[in-house]
Amino acid sequence: MNAGAIAQRSGTQVAVEVVAETGSTNADLLARASTLEGPTLLVAEHQTAGRGRAGRSWLSAPGDSLTFSLAWKFDLPLQQLAGLPLAVGVALAGALAACGVQVQLKWPNDVLKDGSKLAGVLIETQAAPGGGIWAVIGIGMNLRMPDELEERIGRSVAAAPWLAQMDRDELMAALLASLAAALGEFRHAGFGAFSARWNRLHAWQGRPVSILDNGSVLHDGLAAGVDDSGRLLLDCAEGRITVLAGDVSLRTREA
């Protein structure tokens, strides 16, 4: 991929860097956060130590996925960034729809296609010198999924062969443009500006789910979307509750 072409086609003021290979684009940008002069996109043609939520590995094959991180500075309290992964999901969904690929969203940070995971978001933060917070937004997106890699992952995952046929610079520029617009909107209006859009894309709306923490079930109920803070709404036997953190698992037995 060509950094100059991505920057020009995106129409943003984001600095763009492309490397052939690295361990983790998130780790690279976090290590440099104190020296960054502005929003920075780091794209890796191949990422060897990609990470997901809760320390999980993100496995990918060279040329079959997009792996990148976007560093963005916010002058907001950390607690106001709680809905940021969901806003990023909305931005990704919008860009992919414009490219002809329809997706849905799973709380709090997954992009689903045909019910399986197409992309994941990992956001890590660091205090900025002089005030503010750097958010490093890591995204891994499957384009093609070789059988042997899916076997290593150990579960069904989605791919988007149509995107794999696109010009990579054009695709990356479209994603960057959508993300930059969404992050600017989030900076000024918070997640409340995104909640209705997220709920329209909610993959498991009204379906029975379990909220897990390290494999243990914390709550069972019907997924009822998210509120303006990005908290999951869950309709349980005792009434509606809000969920701040955890993994959501679709229950196989309808309730």
Side-chain angles (χ1 to χ4, degrees):
M1 284 187 281
N2 183 286
I6 295 169
Q8 182 178 17
R9 295 179 189 183
S10 73
T12 69
Q13 298 301 309
V14 176
V16 178
E17 303 173 10
V18 176
V19 297
E21 183 175 296
T22 192
S24 162
T25 53
N26 257 37
D28 291 350
L29 285 181
L30 282 169
R32 296 168 46 199
S34 63
T35 65
L36 294 177
E37 296 182 358
T40 303
L41 174 74
L42 177 61
V43 184
E45 301 274 11
H46 180 48
Q47 189 170 244
T48 60
R51 294 171 290 127
R53 289 180 67 241
R56 302 182 183 99
S57 296
W58 176 274
L59 300 177
S60 62
D64 289 335
S65 64
L66 282 180
T67 50
F68 59 93
S69 296
L70 176 59
W72 196 277
K73 185 180 176 184
F74 289 94
D75 295 315
L76 297 170
L78 184 60
Q79 61 267 27
Q80 291 187 26
L81 299 182
L84 185 57
L86 287 78
V88 168
V90 172
L92 292 174
L96 293 175
C99 293
V101 176
Q102 301 298 321
V103 298
Q104 292 182 296
L105 301 176
K106 173 192 169 188
W107 187 87
N109 68 332
D110 287 347
V111 178
L112 306 184
K113 178 176 177 285
D114 302 325
S116 295
K117 185 171 179 175
L118 178 71
V121 179
L122 173 67
I123 298 181
E124 298 176 285
T125 59
Q126 183 172 301
I133 296 171
W134 279 104
V136 177
I137 303 158
I139 296 168
M141 182 181 299
N142 303 319
L143 302 180
R144 289 182 289 259
M145 182 50 59
D147 291 343
E148 60 272 18
L149 181 59
E150 187 168 19
E151 187 174 340
R152 284 178 60 201
I153 293 171
R155 65 181 185 279
S156 176
V157 291
W162 173 251
L163 297 179
Q165 297 176 38
M166 287 184 63
D167 178 275
R168 292 293 174 91
D169 294 341
E170 196 68 43
L171 174 57
M172 191 67 251
L175 294 171
L176 176 57
S178 184
L179 286 167
L183 296 176
E185 185 178 5
F186 186 93
R187 173 186 282 158
H188 294 295
F191 180 69
F194 295 84
S195 57
R197 281 175 280 173
W198 195 97
N199 284 323
R200 287 194 293 269
L201 293 163
H202 186 197
W204 292 350
Q205 183 70 22
R207 301 186 68 181
V209 300
S210 297
I211 308 301
L212 308 175
D213 180 25
N214 292 323
S216 299
V217 177
L218 298 180
H219 307 285
D220 287 316
L222 299 180
V226 297
D227 64 13
D228 284 349
S229 297
R231 298 174 297 185
L232 180 68
L233 303 174
L234 195 67
D235 288 333
C236 303
E238 63 272 25
R240 176 165 290 186
I241 65 171
T242 58
V243 180
L244 294 173
D247 289 323
V248 182
S249 175
L250 187 66
R251 280 164 39 199
T252 55
R253 181 167 54 84
E254 294 290 329

